[in-house]
């Protein structure tokens, strides 16, 4: 049974490169300027979030840009460690946040799939099976064995999508790109995506698109400025959001 | 669709009030080492991409090191008034090992920042990135090793069984490399000024370390050489291959320096591992 449980989750996102990053400033700051002792610019990305997501929940994270949606996804995926509070995620996590990350443009499609398999901790046999699976869905033909640097944009998307959706996680974390691809491709991707979402115990998707929310989700969490403003059934949350807009 | 059964993290738990930093750091190390296949695939990929389209590939490095050996060998054997047969084996081992160390250290400064995309997408053990960096540089360095053999054959310098002592020497270098890749990778992600500082330090160290010159040219200052960590580490490989076994003091110093590097790197890793994703 997959569960996500957050209690008082807080995350500060430090912006080191704005002024505070250089060693010089750090050293000078301590000896002369007597600025703030830690001397960093911090953005509170998530503030005191408490929620529980259980099996069967299809959760949409909604809110304006900078609300903390993607940061929350990354925190759930285990990329960022919270500065306060606790988080427990039970179940295999599959994060589709930035699928292009880790792709090597000089390698062929097949090599990239194998690499992705290795990243996910698969053994050789499983990597081969993964490559077959992806090749079949992406339908790249001979291009599957050509460096992906030569791919057209559409082929790149097809490969990335096929690769990202080839493995069935229990906890599916997605950024909206996946559910709001271009129409022609979505027609083909639709069934596969539905299977992926259906096969997952939990889905959390960050999105701006209300159509996506209504279509795929049964629960919505509205974030703003790193705080949960509303959490409940889709229509309740979206209704509140549209009323304030 | 494939079940993601082999994924490494079945349950993920963090609690800021009880960070369990040591346990997580050890877990990172263990998982990272167990996934050496990923690290080595990535290392080979890096090398292939770096030398893409080049005919000789990493053998360009062999060629340029060879040319450097020849040029420097002729010049410095004349300057130091040593015979080529005596000077060249020393220079060959020193230069090849130094190149490996120096490239390793310089590359370590970007071991984590160069994988920024992956770090922010997949919670991979950071040890994997460090191992990737070490393997990449190890493979490149290995392209230079035949030069040592060639020079030894040309000069008729054949070390005895004590040459086997070079193996623990290489092991020390490898241990230091992993520690440095983790430590510098983290520090340089946080403070972007450290990278250039490391670069110029290594350049200075090249001249302060007996690579072009032999330690005995220092006269009574030779006793102070073990204070230079690069000398100590270098000597654990050069001693067995060239001098018939390194001085015990150099070995002792090398082991102590290694312990120090590992301790510092481990302490830093345990304490700040959780912050790396924010730094890169």
């Amino acid at each position: 049974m997959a569960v996500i449980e957050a209690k008082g989750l807080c995350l500060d996102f430090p912006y080191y490169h704005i002024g505070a990053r250089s060693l010089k400033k750090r050293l000078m700051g301590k000896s002369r300027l007597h600025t703030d002792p830690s001397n960093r610019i911090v953005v509170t990305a998530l503030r005191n979030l408490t929620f529980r997501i259980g099996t069967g929940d299809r959760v949409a994270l909604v809110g304006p840009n900078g609300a903390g949606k993607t940061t929350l996804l990354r925190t759930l995926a285990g990329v960022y460690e919270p500065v306060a509070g606790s988080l427990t995620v039970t179940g295999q996590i599959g994060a589709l946040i930035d699928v292009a990350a880790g792709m090597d443009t000089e390698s062929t499609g097949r090599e990239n799939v194998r690499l992705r398999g290795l990243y996910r901790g698969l053994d050789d046999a499983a990597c081969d099976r993964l490559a077959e699976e992806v090749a079949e869905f992406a339908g790249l033909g001979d291009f599957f064995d050509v460096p992906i640097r030569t791919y057209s944009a559409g082929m790149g998307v097809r490969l990335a999508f096929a690769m990202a959706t080839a493995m069935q996680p229990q906890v599916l974390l997605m950024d909206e790109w996946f559910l709001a691809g271009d129409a022609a491709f979505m027609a083909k991707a639709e069934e596969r995506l539905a299977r992926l979402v259906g096969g997952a115990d939990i889905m959390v998707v960050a999105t701006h698109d209300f159509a996506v929310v209504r279509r795929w989700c049964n629960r919505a969490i509205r974030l703003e400025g790193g705080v949960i403003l509303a959490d409940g059934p889709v229509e309740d949350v979206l209704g509140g959001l549209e009323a304030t807009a | 669709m494939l079940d993601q059964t082999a994924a490494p993290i079945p349950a993920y738990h963090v609690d800021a009030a009880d960070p369990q930093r040591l346990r997580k750091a050890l877990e990172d190390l263990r998982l990272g080492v167990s996934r050496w296949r990923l690290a080595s695939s990535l290392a080979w990929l890096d090398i292939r991409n770096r030398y893409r389209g080049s005919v000789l590939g990493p053998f360009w490095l062999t060629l340029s090191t060879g040319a450097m050996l020849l040029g420097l060998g002729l010049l410095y054997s004349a300057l130091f008034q040593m015979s080529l047969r005596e000077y060249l084996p020393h220079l060959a081992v020193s230069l090849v090992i130094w190149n490996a160390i120096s490239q390793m250290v310089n590359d370590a400064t970007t071991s984590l920042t160069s994988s920024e995309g992956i770090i922010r997408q997949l919670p991979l053990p950071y040890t994997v990135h460090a191992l990737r960096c070490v393997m990449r540089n190890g493979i490149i360095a290995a392209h230079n090793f035949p030069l040592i053999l060639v020079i030894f054959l040309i000069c008729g310098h054949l070390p005895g069984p004590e040459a086997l002592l070079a193996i623990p020497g290489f092991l020390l270098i490898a241990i230091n490399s992993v520690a440095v890749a983790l430590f510098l990778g983290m520090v340089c992600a946080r403070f972007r000024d450290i990278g250039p500082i490391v670069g110029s330090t290594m350049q200075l160290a090249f001249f302060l370390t007996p690579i072009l010159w032999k330690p005995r040219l220092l006269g009574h200052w030779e006793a102070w050489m073990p204070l230079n960590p690069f000398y100590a580490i270098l000597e654990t490989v050069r001693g067995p291959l060239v001098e018939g076994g390194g001085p015990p003091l150099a070995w002792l110093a090398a082991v102590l320096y290694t312990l120090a590097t590992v301790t510092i790197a481990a302490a830093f890793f345990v304490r700040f591992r959780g912050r790396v994703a924010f730094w890169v």
Side-chain angles (χ1 to χ4, degrees):
Chain A
M1 283 292 104
V3 175
I4 300 177
E5 189 148 26
K7 286 190 190 128
L9 193 68
C10 291
L11 194 100
D12 287 341
F13 207 99
Y15 285 125
Y16 294 107
H17 50 280
I18 306 178
R21 180 153 222 158
S22 84
L23 184 64
K24 185 178 108 194
K25 291 208 172 156
R26 182 89 186 223
L27 294 176
M28 310 261 288
K30 285 224 160 145
S31 59
R32 283 202 226 149
L33 297 173
H34 294 288
T35 47
D36 180 77
S38 67
N39 189 31
R40 9 176 240 207
I41 299 167
V42 175
V43 170
T44 307
L46 304 174
R47 202 178 309 160
N48 206 11
L49 305 189
T50 301
F51 55 84
R52 184 191 159 86
I53 300 174
T55 299
D57 281 357
R58 307 276 174 262
V59 181
L61 301 176
V62 292
N65 286 324
K69 301 187 296 289
T70 306
T71 305
L72 179 55
L73 278 187
R74 290 206 165 110
T75 309
L76 295 181
V79 172
Y80 295 143
E81 266 186 28
V83 292
S86 72
L87 169 71
T88 308
V89 181
T90 317
Q92 308 282 0
I93 302 171
L96 311 183
I97 300 168
D98 174 13
V99 273
M103 293 244 264
D104 179 55
T105 53
E106 301 301 336
S107 298
T108 66
R110 186 182 302 278
E111 286 166 341
N112 267 295
V113 176
R114 294 189 53 93
L115 192 61
R116 181 58 55 97
L118 281 176
Y119 271 127
R120 294 283 175 91
L122 302 181
D123 60 23
D124 267 337
C127 282
D128 286 337
R129 264 184 290 134
L130 183 67
E132 287 316 308
E133 223 272 345
V134 170
E136 195 190 312
F137 179 79
L140 295 169
D142 293 341
F143 275 94
F144 196 53
D145 289 304
V146 168
I148 61 171
R149 148 177 69 87
T150 62
Y151 284 17
S152 68
M155 289 160 79
V157 170
R158 250 147 63 199
L159 179 70
F161 181 87
M163 214 151 82
T165 52
M167 281 178 280
Q168 176 68 64
Q170 290 169 305
V171 177
L172 182 61
L173 309 171
M174 286 202 276
D175 228 338
E176 74 177 340
W177 177 85
F178 275 89
L179 295 174
D182 68 283
F185 179 64
M186 283 307 288
K188 188 181 177 192
E190 186 89 39
E191 181 260 349
R192 186 177 168 99
L193 200 54
R195 200 143 48 96
L196 183 75
V197 172
D201 288 346
I202 289 178
M203 175 181 77
V204 182
V205 56
T207 183
H208 291 284
D209 187 340
F210 288 176
V212 164
V213 180
R214 292 202 165 97
R215 167 97 210 277
W216 296 93
C217 303
N218 58 21
R219 175 178 169 188
I221 294 180
R222 181 180 162 200
L223 279 175
E224 213 168 307
V227 184
I228 294 182
L229 290 188
D231 178 359
V234 167
E235 285 313 321
D236 297 358
V237 175
L238 292 194
L241 197 59
E242 279 159 346
T244 56
Chain B
M1 237 176 253
L2 303 174
D3 268 336
Q4 210 179 323
T5 43
I9 311 163
Y12 169 70
H13 176 78
V14 274
D15 186 351
D18 175 24
Q20 295 188 301
R21 293 199 180 99
L22 181 62
R23 190 185 60 75
K24 282 191 189 156
L26 289 174
E27 183 76 358
D28 186 303
L29 210 60
R30 192 182 63 76
L31 272 175
V33 171
S34 77
R35 302 189 65 184
W36 62 271
R37 279 173 60 247
L38 171 61
S40 89
S41 305
L42 290 169
W44 281 107
L45 204 65
D46 289 336
I47 290 170
R48 198 195 66 187
N49 288 352
R50 188 178 299 179
Y51 296 102
R52 185 172 59 91
S54 136
V55 182
L56 287 183
F59 288 103
W60 274 113
L61 227 64
T62 321
L63 215 62
S64 76
T65 313
M68 206 160 151
L69 275 178
L70 202 69
L72 291 178
L74 287 171
L75 174 66
Y76 279 85
S77 65
L79 279 178
F80 296 143
Q81 297 175 354
M82 279 183 240
S83 75
L84 260 182
R85 289 172 64 99
E86 186 196 359
Y87 182 64
L88 263 187
H90 165 88
L91 183 68
V93 176
S94 310
L95 201 63
V96 167
I97 301 299
W98 173 261
N99 279 349
I101 293 178
S102 130
Q103 271 157 16
M104 177 63 232
V105 171
N106 278 315
D107 207 21
T109 59
T110 55
S111 70
L112 292 177
T113 41
S114 59
S115 309
E116 175 196 5
I118 281 295
I119 288 176
R120 304 207 309 157
Q121 154 81 2
L122 255 186
L124 215 58
Y126 294 119
T127 313
V128 168
H129 305 295
L131 285 181
R132 170 190 192 172
C133 174
V134 173
M135 287 180 171
R136 175 170 65 215
N137 286 285
I139 296 166
I140 292 178
H143 285 82
N144 275 333
F145 290 159
L147 282 174
I148 297 181
L149 198 68
V150 171
I151 297 277
F152 278 13
L153 287 177
I154 292 175
C155 297
H157 171 89
L158 292 175
E162 78 277 358
L164 289 178
L165 273 176
I167 295 171
F170 278 118
L171 199 67
L172 281 182
I173 293 182
I175 295 172
N176 275 299
S177 300
V178 177
V180 166
L182 268 181
F183 177 69
L184 281 185
M186 289 177 76
V187 176
C188 296
R190 174 66 184 85
F191 298 106
R192 301 295 162 113
D193 311 67
I194 305 270
I197 295 177
V198 169
S200 28
T201 307
M202 291 310 284
Q203 201 145 37
L204 185 64
F206 172 76
F207 291 105
L208 294 184
T209 306
I211 295 158
L212 295 176
W213 44 280
K214 289 195 167 194
R216 65 174 163 78
L217 291 173
L218 278 181
H220 67 280
W221 287 101
E222 189 185 343
W224 295 90
M225 270 328 296
L227 285 181
N228 176 350
F230 294 110
Y231 161 80
I233 301 282
L234 198 61
E235 203 58 32
T236 60
V237 173
R238 182 174 56 199
L241 290 183
V242 186
E243 320 278 355
L249 194 61
W251 275 95
L252 179 68
V255 170
L256 287 180
Y257 285 128
T258 308
L259 282 178
T261 334
V262 170
T263 312
I264 294 172
F268 203 77
F269 187 57
V270 170
R271 175 62 186 83
F272 293 110
R273 204 190 61 86
R275 304 295 302 163
V276 172
F278 297 103
W279 290 350
V280 294

PDB file of all heavy atoms in Angstrom, chain B residues 113-124:
ATOM      1  N   THR B 113      28.610  19.400  -9.719  1.00  0.00           N
ATOM      2  CA  THR B 113      27.925  20.445 -10.487  1.00  0.00           C
ATOM      3  C   THR B 113      27.678  19.996 -11.925  1.00  0.00           C
ATOM      4  O   THR B 113      26.701  20.409 -12.537  1.00  0.00           O
ATOM      5  CB  THR B 113      28.722  21.757 -10.504  1.00  0.00           C
ATOM      6  OG1 THR B 113      30.102  21.454 -10.676  1.00  0.00           O
ATOM      7  CG2 THR B 113      28.535  22.524  -9.223  1.00  0.00           C
ATOM      8  N   SER B 114      28.532  19.117 -12.469  1.00  0.00           N
ATOM      9  CA  SER B 114      28.324  18.704 -13.855  1.00  0.00           C
ATOM     10  C   SER B 114      27.131  17.747 -13.968  1.00  0.00           C
ATOM     11  O   SER B 114      26.633  17.524 -15.065  1.00  0.00           O
ATOM     12  CB  SER B 114      29.584  18.042 -14.412  1.00  0.00           C
ATOM     13  OG  SER B 114      29.921  16.917 -13.647  1.00  0.00           O
ATOM     14  N   SER B 115      26.673  17.188 -12.863  1.00  0.00           N
ATOM     15  CA  SER B 115      25.504  16.303 -12.914  1.00  0.00           C
ATOM     16  C   SER B 115      24.266  16.986 -12.336  1.00  0.00           C
ATOM     17  O   SER B 115      23.347  16.318 -11.885  1.00  0.00           O
ATOM     18  CB  SER B 115      25.763  15.026 -12.122  1.00  0.00           C
ATOM     19  OG  SER B 115      26.960  14.438 -12.505  1.00  0.00           O
ATOM     20  N   GLU B 116      24.266  18.308 -12.384  1.00  0.00           N
ATOM     21  CA  GLU B 116      23.187  19.089 -11.781  1.00  0.00           C
ATOM     22  C   GLU B 116      21.799  18.601 -12.190  1.00  0.00           C
ATOM     23  O   GLU B 116      20.923  18.396 -11.345  1.00  0.00           O
ATOM     24  CB  GLU B 116      23.384  20.552 -12.196  1.00  0.00           C
ATOM     25  CG  GLU B 116      22.308  21.475 -11.761  1.00  0.00           C
ATOM     26  CD  GLU B 116      22.380  22.785 -12.519  1.00  0.00           C
ATOM     27  OE1 GLU B 116      23.224  22.912 -13.439  1.00  0.00           O
ATOM     28  OE2 GLU B 116      21.604  23.675 -12.195  1.00  0.00           O
ATOM     29  N   GLY B 117      21.641  18.359 -13.505  1.00  0.00           N
ATOM     30  CA  GLY B 117      20.328  17.960 -14.007  1.00  0.00           C
ATOM     31  C   GLY B 117      19.828  16.684 -13.360  1.00  0.00           C
ATOM     32  O   GLY B 117      18.676  16.598 -12.932  1.00  0.00           O
ATOM     33  N   ILE B 118      20.718  15.702 -13.283  1.00  0.00           N
ATOM     34  CA  ILE B 118      20.354  14.416 -12.692  1.00  0.00           C
ATOM     35  C   ILE B 118      20.085  14.554 -11.195  1.00  0.00           C
ATOM     36  O   ILE B 118      19.119  13.998 -10.665  1.00  0.00           O
ATOM     37  CB  ILE B 118      21.499  13.407 -12.929  1.00  0.00           C
ATOM     38  CG1 ILE B 118      21.425  12.884 -14.355  1.00  0.00           C
ATOM     39  CG2 ILE B 118      21.430  12.252 -11.961  1.00  0.00           C
ATOM     40  CD1 ILE B 118      20.183  12.091 -14.633  1.00  0.00           C
ATOM     41  N   ILE B 119      20.923  15.320 -10.527  1.00  0.00           N
ATOM     42  CA  ILE B 119      20.785  15.448  -9.077  1.00  0.00           C
ATOM     43  C   ILE B 119      19.425  16.024  -8.713  1.00  0.00           C
ATOM     44  O   ILE B 119      18.799  15.612  -7.742  1.00  0.00           O
ATOM     45  CB  ILE B 119      21.922  16.325  -8.505  1.00  0.00           C
ATOM     46  CG1 ILE B 119      23.239  15.551  -8.551  1.00  0.00           C
ATOM     47  CG2 ILE B 119      21.621  16.767  -7.074  1.00  0.00           C
ATOM     48  CD1 ILE B 119      24.437  16.327  -8.110  1.00  0.00           C
ATOM     49  N   ARG B 120      18.927  16.955  -9.545  1.00  0.00           N
ATOM     50  CA  ARG B 120      17.656  17.588  -9.209  1.00  0.00           C
ATOM     51  C   ARG B 120      16.453  16.846  -9.750  1.00  0.00           C
ATOM     52  O   ARG B 120      15.314  17.269  -9.582  1.00  0.00           O
ATOM     53  CB  ARG B 120      17.667  19.039  -9.690  1.00  0.00           C
ATOM     54  CG  ARG B 120      18.872  19.764  -9.083  1.00  0.00           C
ATOM     55  CD  ARG B 120      18.681  21.195  -8.933  1.00  0.00           C
ATOM     56  NE  ARG B 120      18.233  21.827 -10.138  1.00  0.00           N
ATOM     57  CZ  ARG B 120      17.581  22.970 -10.143  1.00  0.00           C
ATOM     58  NH1 ARG B 120      17.288  23.556  -9.009  1.00  0.00           N
ATOM     59  NH2 ARG B 120      17.230  23.504 -11.277  1.00  0.00           N
ATOM     60  N   GLN B 121      16.715  15.734 -10.434  1.00  0.00           N
ATOM     61  CA  GLN B 121      15.600  14.964 -10.993  1.00  0.00           C
ATOM     62  C   GLN B 121      15.443  13.606 -10.317  1.00  0.00           C
ATOM     63  O   GLN B 121      14.354  13.152 -10.055  1.00  0.00           O
ATOM     64  CB  GLN B 121      15.818  14.811 -12.503  1.00  0.00           C
ATOM     65  CG  GLN B 121      15.170  13.598 -13.138  1.00  0.00           C
ATOM     66  CD  GLN B 121      13.693  13.812 -13.420  1.00  0.00           C
ATOM     67  OE1 GLN B 121      13.178  14.877 -13.172  1.00  0.00           O
ATOM     68  NE2 GLN B 121      13.028  12.783 -13.898  1.00  0.00           N
ATOM     69  N   LEU B 122      16.576  12.970 -10.031  1.00  0.00           N
ATOM     70  CA  LEU B 122      16.551  11.603  -9.500  1.00  0.00           C
ATOM     71  C   LEU B 122      17.339  11.575  -8.198  1.00  0.00           C
ATOM     72  O   LEU B 122      18.463  12.039  -8.169  1.00  0.00           O
ATOM     73  CB  LEU B 122      17.275  10.678 -10.480  1.00  0.00           C
ATOM     74  CG  LEU B 122      16.516   9.732 -11.382  1.00  0.00           C
ATOM     75  CD1 LEU B 122      17.502   8.863 -12.122  1.00  0.00           C
ATOM     76  CD2 LEU B 122      15.552   8.886 -10.611  1.00  0.00           C
ATOM     77  N   PRO B 123      16.775  11.030  -7.141  1.00  0.00           N
ATOM     78  CA  PRO B 123      17.557  10.937  -5.910  1.00  0.00           C
ATOM     79  C   PRO B 123      18.557   9.782  -5.984  1.00  0.00           C
ATOM     80  O   PRO B 123      18.341   8.728  -5.442  1.00  0.00           O
ATOM     81  CB  PRO B 123      16.496  10.696  -4.828  1.00  0.00           C
ATOM     82  CG  PRO B 123      15.331  10.119  -5.546  1.00  0.00           C
ATOM     83  CD  PRO B 123      15.400  10.560  -6.969  1.00  0.00           C
ATOM     84  N   LEU B 124      19.650  10.016  -6.683  1.00  0.00           N
ATOM     85  CA  LEU B 124      20.694   9.012  -6.859  1.00  0.00           C
ATOM     86  C   LEU B 124      21.715   9.194  -5.735  1.00  0.00           C
ATOM     87  O   LEU B 124      21.932  10.307  -5.291  1.00  0.00           O
ATOM     88  CB  LEU B 124      21.371   9.290  -8.199  1.00  0.00           C
ATOM     89  CG  LEU B 124      21.858   8.133  -9.046  1.00  0.00           C
ATOM     90  CD1 LEU B 124      20.739   7.181  -9.381  1.00  0.00           C
ATOM     91  CD2 LEU B 124      22.462   8.691 -10.320  1.00  0.00           C
TER      92      LEU B 124
END
